Amino acid sequence: MADSTSPVKLLARVFSAQESGLTLVIVLMMIVLTLFGGTKLKLNRVDVGADETITLYDHAGHAHEAGALADRDIARAVVTAPDGTERVFTGELGYREARGQRFLVVKREVNKFLELENIILVMTSASFIAVMAVGMTAVIILAGIDLSVGSIYAIAAIVGAIALHELGTEAGVVSSVGLGLAVTLVVGGLCGLANGVMIVGLRVHPFVITLGMMAALRGLTIIIPQKIYSEQSIGAFSPAFTSGFFKKEYAGVYPVPTIIMLLVALAGWFVLSRTVLGRRVFAIGGNETAARYAGIPVGRVKIIVYTVMGVLAGLSACIYLGYYGSAETSAGTAYELKVIAAAVIGGASLMGGRGSAMGAVLGAIVIQLIDNAMIIFEIDQSWNQVVMGAAIIVAVVIDQAKRRIASG
Amino acid sequence: MHMMDASIDNTLLVCEHISKRFGITQALDDVSVSFAAGEVHALMGENGAGKSTLGKVISGLHKQDAGRVIIAGRELKAGSIEDAFNAGIRIVHQELAQCPNLSVAENLCLHDLPRGALGMVDRARMAERAARLVHRIEPSIDVTAELGSLSPGHRQICQIAASLDDQIRPGAERARVIVFDEPTSSLSISETERLLDVVRRLACDGLTIIYVSHRMSEIFACCDRVTVLRDGKYVATSLVKDMTEPDLVEQMIGRRIATPTARLRTPGGEAAALRGLGGAKHKIEESAAPKLEVRGMSSPGKLEDVSFAVRPGEVLGIGGLVGSGRSELLDAIFALDPHARGEVLIDGTPVDRSSPRSLIAAGVGYVPEDRRLQGLFFDLSVSENIVAPYMDRLAHALGLRDLREERRVVTDRIREFQVKAASLDSLPNELSGGNQQKLLIARWMHADSAVLLLDEPTRGIDVGTKAEIYKLIHKAADRGAAIVLVSSEMPELLAMSDRIIVMADGRCQGELCGDEMTQVNILTLATREAQPA
């Protein structure tokens, strides 16, 4: 039919896809933040090797020795290596010497938002939430809920931190990362398994079971480190685990958490759409009775999904350990709300049957962009919760309105 | 002008040039009908003909795209439930819209709870008012009982009672028009009869009854006139007494088709055999070993020691009233009832009954009674709805879906079963009821089907699709499948079955073959124990 391909219909279709709507929101937020966020001065230190020579040029273009010019007179600096290669710096420059180390201070005016370091920072903070939100999406598609994710995250982090602490600071990348992942994922997975088995076996609503687990696990998180170290914070891991892997620097930023987040999103999309398990999740969430009649092993699927949710909370905890280098007993407090919010903003329906992994990740990014906007616009952090709460309600209302329009 | 053939003078409600579109479906296309005071006026048509939609436009549940609804000379606001209500139009829903957790009295007075001191609910006054409404129709209903504990028939009667309430908000008219939308779909035979009686009494009191249904017998039993719609278009309005069943069917589908009593079955290419017309009986290897055998199936409070066997190519009918344990028996065979005890053997081998999966693996398929509740996944595509039970068997290692194989299976099935869907990715809601049912049957009926359990496979679907489904059932039987058919429609049960067992109170009351298979015999067995001793 002619009208099914008309531009209006096509636009309506593109608009009605959850991910595209969210992407649009994210792009708009980024544009606003870039245009109205303003700029800041950023200082970069450039170390100069002992065998390199520095030539400073004044505004008239004359060359000078290092140290012979005041900062405000430097227009250009050229660092020449012994093999003749040159590094040229312009802008606001300064020359310093400290403890025998010579270096240039390069001041650059950068956009407060649109700058690699800031963007990766947003992504990194989003990744802790997003990794769990992918699992939460599966749980919500199943018409369930998991309130214990914040506590699972905390207990996995604490137990993982104890293991890494005991491993010592000399351990290599393979052993420390291997141990860290193994411990956090297993602890998370076991907690998730416990949730799943109780929900299916005792036939109690997941809200109740996970509410109980949320409190119980949080308690254990406080008790365990007290018994062992009588401390609230556990750190001193092998650098191979932190700066050697989870906080490895590339081009001045720490991209590992962001990469893990994207991989989890990809895996989540794949599992939910291309595997039998994924489709069974949708089937059960959409119509559990029909799923039973179609011979779908409903209980087993539920247990698997809650276990995977726990494993993902463990993975998120491992990233946290590697990125911050220590674990606090208060880690992950109120994360369940952020994780559920990310999944719901990402299009997961609490009635079950609908949701997407990509949407969950985009939802987490939206939440962190709101956080970032508060910082950039220098709004009091106390307003954070208010804005996020409003964002959740607005997102869901828009989603429902869209659905009504789409269904006529 | 199309009213010429059956005109009336005391017109109360007029629909003029109503059109309504849902997405790509033109549900109503320039439909004009008049309804008289004091008549029972049937709206008939196949599924998707637009009869329910017209009822909903009249009662303001749907807003028409064009056209007007006029009651006693006043034009109703399009799509306003409130305006229709104020004008005296009530609707009794297909899906019962009530609060099952509240008492009958609370449900009836929900719009205006009588208040006593301190704003507390005056329970005595509420019960009294509810009783006045309900007992006019059905004196045996206890108004203080929880609504959910009532039978579907009594619940429906409560809904009708609520629509007759004249203590309504100021400015609103008393009920003048009641729209019944498929009112008997969840009722038993005796409940249906009582309902038809109520409908007739209401019409005698001068109310206009708009009766949306596709059950022939009900139309002939209680309606004065009938308007037939087809594909959203008006076909004709006629006096029921001037019509015959074949006339109506012809109007509905635009061609004459065989009724299910004329059994057309060609086993192994043999000539068609018509049961009851002296034709040769369909041949089943009498000596063949049973394909399906059920031994001593019991479940506390539901089933008691039911046993039977079905040979390959045989259709075993299960008769009985609603609530006699027919669906419970199929659930128990399919391992959906964890309390059920008993044995299921396929080709003489006992099947593990710990979960439906082992039965599916053994080639058992089950089309449950309620396709919305137990059958389809409304968030999943047409193709996923078909492959849902065996997606894992089509899949690659590690549960990776084999999309190409799934597509092949689904395309074959859709072609064979002629499921009309815009694409394989359509959602079930975009399909008509008949096509939804075909979709569900297509899920279970395949070349390897050994046993098919069919529970009301033609409920709520149109005549044309019914005939197609009968053909498909025969085809499966001819391939050697054993078929167990539960049906509340007598002609269907009699025509389709080679043998019939009749259930009552969860027990098998008797078995009928050959000439014993008559409506009278089935009803006699079905009501034997069901009556209070």
Side-chain angles (χ1 to χ4, degrees):
Chain A
M1 284 179 97
D3 59 355
S4 64
T5 53
S6 75
V8 179
K9 281 261 166 97
L10 197 71
L11 211 66
R13 235 210 179 109
V14 170
F15 177 67
S16 65
Q18 183 68 31
E19 289 86 348
S20 63
L22 265 180
T23 314
L24 194 73
V25 168
I26 291 176
V27 167
L28 281 177
M29 285 177 79
M30 288 175 123
I31 291 172
V32 168
L33 284 170
T34 306
L35 293 182
F36 303 106
T39 57
K40 64 175 177 193
L41 275 182
K42 194 173 164 184
L43 301 180
N44 268 7
R45 178 180 150 148
V46 180
D47 287 335
V48 178
D51 51 354
E52 289 178 312
T53 52
I54 301 173
T55 318
L56 303 175
Y57 294 88
D58 63 18
H59 293 284
H62 300 297
H64 297 271
E65 290 257 326
L69 276 180
D71 282 357
R72 60 182 143 72
D73 293 327
I74 306 174
R76 199 156 63 93
V78 179
V79 178
T80 316
D83 61 359
T85 54
E86 288 185 347
R87 290 189 287 168
V88 181
F89 299 93
T90 53
E92 273 192 66
L93 296 170
Y95 172 75
R96 303 279 184 280
E97 277 177 44
R99 282 179 247 128
Q101 174 70 53
R102 301 180 299 158
F103 60 91
L104 289 169
V105 176
V106 184
K107 284 189 214 164
R108 276 187 305 127
E109 201 179 20
V110 293
N111 191 296
K112 269 189 185 174
F113 175 77
L114 196 64
E115 182 236 344
L116 190 62
E117 200 180 328
N118 183 56
I119 301 241
I120 291 291
L121 204 65
V122 170
M123 291 294 178
T124 304
S125 4
S127 67
F128 302 114
I129 304 295
V131 167
M132 288 193 273
V134 170
M136 187 61 81
T137 299
V139 170
I140 291 177
I141 293 172
L142 205 54
I145 193 83
D146 189 346
L147 298 174
S148 65
V149 287
S151 298
I152 297 181
Y153 171 91
I155 197 160
I158 287 291
V159 177
I162 293 169
L164 287 164
H165 184 82
E166 296 298 328
L167 186 67
T169 51
E170 303 300 315
V173 173
V174 177
S175 60
S176 61
V177 173
L179 179 78
L181 277 174
V183 172
T184 48
L185 299 194
V186 166
V187 171
L190 285 176
C191 295
L193 181 69
N195 274 335
V197 167
M198 282 195 279
I199 288 163
V200 173
L202 304 176
R203 285 187 221 152
V204 176
H205 195 279
F207 190 99
V208 178
I209 296 285
T210 58
L211 185 69
M213 284 291 271
M214 168 176 144
L217 293 176
R218 177 63 67 187
L220 285 179
T221 307
I222 296 164
I223 294 165
I224 293 170
Q226 275 177 350
K227 292 277 179 214
I228 301 179
Y229 303 118
S230 49
E231 272 176 36
Q232 293 296 308
S233 168
I234 303 163
F237 309 149
S238 161
F241 182 70
T242 52
S243 54
F245 189 80
F246 284 106
K247 204 179 180 180
K248 199 167 176 69
E249 187 183 326
Y250 294 96
V253 292
Y254 311 107
V256 175
T258 307
I259 293 168
I260 295 176
M261 167 176 82
L262 295 176
L263 289 178
V264 169
L266 208 64
W269 166 79
F270 186 81
V271 170
L272 283 176
S273 63
R274 289 299 163 84
T275 67
V276 176
L277 176 71
R279 302 320 289 170
R280 283 177 169 173
V281 171
F282 277 94
I284 294 169
N287 189 344
E288 192 171 325
T289 311
R292 276 182 212 285
Y293 275 81
I296 292 171
V298 174
R300 201 192 316 159
V301 171
K302 282 187 177 175
I303 293 176
I304 292 173
V305 168
Y306 281 97
T307 307
V308 169
M309 171 77 261
V311 168
L312 287 173
L315 175 62
S316 187
C318 197
I319 306 172
Y320 157 78
L321 288 180
Y323 194 80
Y324 290 109
S326 69
E328 311 269 332
T329 53
S330 62
T333 309
Y335 263 27
E336 54 282 341
L337 292 182
K338 279 192 166 188
V339 171
I340 293 168
V344 169
I345 291 176
S349 157
L350 287 169
M351 304 294 289
R354 287 196 298 109
S356 94
M358 292 293 176
V361 170
L362 293 176
I365 292 175
V366 167
I367 289 176
Q368 287 311 321
L369 274 178
I370 293 172
D371 249 12
N372 197 231
M374 307 297 270
I375 297 166
I376 285 176
F377 291 126
E378 287 159 13
I379 301 167
D380 185 351
Q381 286 287 299
S382 324
W383 283 93
N384 222 326
Q385 301 259 11
V386 179
V387 175
M388 202 178 77
I392 295 168
I393 295 170
V394 168
V396 173
V397 168
I398 290 176
D399 187 37
Q400 283 182 351
K402 240 168 44 180
R403 212 162 297 284
R404 269 198 292 277
I405 293 165
S407 66
Chain B
M1 60 175 211
H2 35 244
M3 298 297 299
M4 299 285 279
D5 51 348
S7 56
I8 32 117
D9 351 290
N10 52 340
T11 302
L12 176 69
L13 179 78
V14 184
C15 298
E16 282 183 356
H17 308 292
I18 307 271
S19 292
K20 172 75 188 172
R21 199 182 175 85
F22 295 108
I24 57 160
T25 321
Q26 187 75 43
L28 288 173
D29 187 2
D30 193 26
V31 172
S32 303
V33 192
S34 302
F35 303 92
E39 74 164 340
V40 183
H41 191 134
L43 291 180
M44 277 205 92
E46 295 191 297
N47 278 327
K51 54 190 190 306
S52 270
T53 312
L54 184 58
K56 286 178 176 157
V57 165
I58 292 171
S59 47
L61 288 169
H62 284 331
K63 187 179 180 182
Q64 68 267 35
D65 304 328
R68 315 188 290 165
V69 178
I70 300 161
I71 181 162
R74 180 167 89 78
E75 183 178 343
L76 292 180
K77 215 166 114 196
S80 164
I81 301 169
E82 186 159 357
D83 198 36
F85 186 93
N86 288 345
I89 298 173
R90 309 283 184 270
I91 184 161
V92 176
H93 263 289
Q94 197 168 4
E95 287 94 23
L96 305 167
Q98 294 164 317
C99 309
N101 54 334
L102 300 182
S103 75
V104 172
E106 282 170 312
N107 267 284
L108 283 167
C109 303
L110 210 49
H111 56 285
D112 179 25
L113 288 172
R115 256 161 252 202
L118 301 169
M120 287 198 299
V121 176
D122 184 344
R123 290 185 168 273
R125 205 141 57 87
M126 184 170 74
E128 182 229 337
R129 188 168 136 197
R132 199 169 23 105
L133 289 168
V134 174
H135 292 166
R136 189 154 57 163
I137 309 175
E138 176 58 65
S140 73
I141 294 176
D142 173 12
V143 293
T144 57
E146 205 172 82
L147 187 84
S149 67
L150 266 55
S151 72
H154 281 176
R155 265 191 268 172
Q156 190 119 40
I157 282 168
C158 292
Q159 214 184 358
I160 299 168
S163 68
L164 296 174
D165 191 359
D166 46 16
Q167 285 193 346
I168 39 173
R169 56 175 170 261
E173 288 270 356
R174 304 176 45 164
R176 289 194 282 184
V177 177
I178 302 183
V179 180
F180 285 88
D181 190 357
E182 306 272 9
T184 57
S185 55
S186 52
L187 303 191
S188 69
I189 300 169
S190 54
E191 286 173 334
T192 301
E193 270 171 18
R194 209 164 313 142
L195 177 83
L196 296 180
D197 193 47
V198 170
V199 166
R200 276 188 295 262
R201 264 162 46 207
L202 293 175
C204 287
D205 292 346
L207 269 74
T208 300
I209 309 293
I210 301 177
Y211 196 87
V212 179
S213 178
H214 50 237
R215 294 199 175 174
M216 286 288 177
S217 57
E218 293 167 17
I219 306 297
F220 286 100
C222 84
C223 298
D224 300 309
R225 292 196 302 157
V226 53
T227 292
V228 175
L229 300 175
R230 185 168 70 225
D231 299 331
K233 291 193 183 67
Y234 176 87
V235 176
T237 300
S238 340
L239 286 167
V240 171
K241 63 178 164 64
D242 297 341
M243 300 292 284
T244 64
E245 213 169 291
D247 292 340
L248 265 182
V249 172
E250 193 181 352
Q251 285 187 352
M252 279 161 63
I253 62 174
R255 72 195 134 96
R256 278 187 190 272
I257 58 143
T259 55
T261 35
R263 176 164 195 189
L264 293 163
R265 186 151 160 194
T266 54
E270 283 174 39
L274 298 183
R275 180 183 298 283
L277 298 175
K281 200 181 168 196
H282 164 64
K283 274 200 195 117
I284 302 153
E285 291 297 328
E286 299 287 337
S287 56
K291 189 92 192 164
L292 168 73
E293 215 181 327
V294 175
R295 287 187 194 157
M297 192 60 80
S298 299
S299 177
K302 290 180 186 165
L303 294 172
E304 224 176 297
D305 195 26
V306 180
S307 304
F308 62 85
V310 193
R311 288 186 292 273
E314 190 180 27
V315 180
L316 175 76
I318 300 185
L321 304 174
V322 172
S324 61
R326 301 172 305 175
S327 306
E328 289 78 2
L329 175 62
L330 299 192
D331 280 2
I333 297 173
F334 207 60
L336 286 161
D337 178 355
H339 305 295
R341 298 276 168 275
E343 259 192 306
V344 174
L345 294 88
I346 289 169
D347 290 325
T349 323
V351 184
D352 163 42
R353 283 182 48 261
S354 56
S355 91
R357 302 212 59 71
S358 47
L359 284 129
I360 292 171
V364 182
Y366 182 13
V367 177
E369 186 180 9
D370 187 330
R371 63 169 176 269
R372 296 198 73 85
L373 209 67
Q374 305 162 320
L376 296 172
F377 303 108
F378 286 88
D379 300 304
L380 298 186
S381 68
V382 161
S383 60
E384 285 184 283
N385 264 288
I386 288 180
V387 296
Y390 34 87
M391 195 186 257
D392 52 342
R393 275 191 275 153
L394 299 176
H396 298 296
L398 292 171
L400 249 63
R401 289 171 70 193
D402 187 340
L403 291 177
R404 190 177 302 169
E405 183 64 13
E406 281 181 22
R407 203 161 197 84
R408 194 188 59 73
V409 169
V410 169
T411 320
D412 280 2
R413 250 9 120 67
I414 295 233
R415 195 183 304 126
E416 186 183 346
F417 290 79
Q418 294 176 10
V419 180
K420 289 185 199 81
S423 86
L424 298 185
D425 299 323
S426 304
L427 297 175
N429 258 342
E430 298 165 22
L431 271 58
S432 72
N435 278 307
Q436 287 179 9
Q437 188 69 21
K438 281 200 271 181
L439 181 65
L440 192 54
I441 293 178
R443 174 193 291 174
W444 291 115
M445 231 186 243
H446 43 93
D448 308 330
S449 298
V451 175
L452 283 171
L453 310 174
L454 307 173
D455 196 352
E456 306 283 4
T458 63
R459 166 172 290 180
I461 61 175
D462 57 81
V463 195
T465 313
K466 268 185 191 177
E468 283 178 54
I469 288 177
Y470 297 143
K471 257 189 253 166
L472 292 167
I473 295 174
H474 288 152
K475 205 164 140 191
D478 291 342
R479 279 198 293 227
I483 291 163
V484 180
L485 173 72
V486 168
S487 176
S488 291
E489 283 192 40
M490 266 324 170
E492 173 176 298
L493 192 66
L494 289 169
M496 295 298 296
S497 312
D498 296 302
R499 245 176 341 125
I500 294 176
I501 60 171
V502 181
M503 295 186 67
D505 282 350
R507 281 189 214 112
C508 177
Q509 297 294 336
E511 185 178 317
L512 303 169
C513 341
D515 296 337
E516 303 162 358
M517 297 189 346
T518 63
Q519 202 152 338
V520 176
N521 284 346
I522 294 175
L523 268 178
T524 312
L525 287 173
T527 50
R528 192 193 275 167
E529 295 281 296
Q531 282 160 355

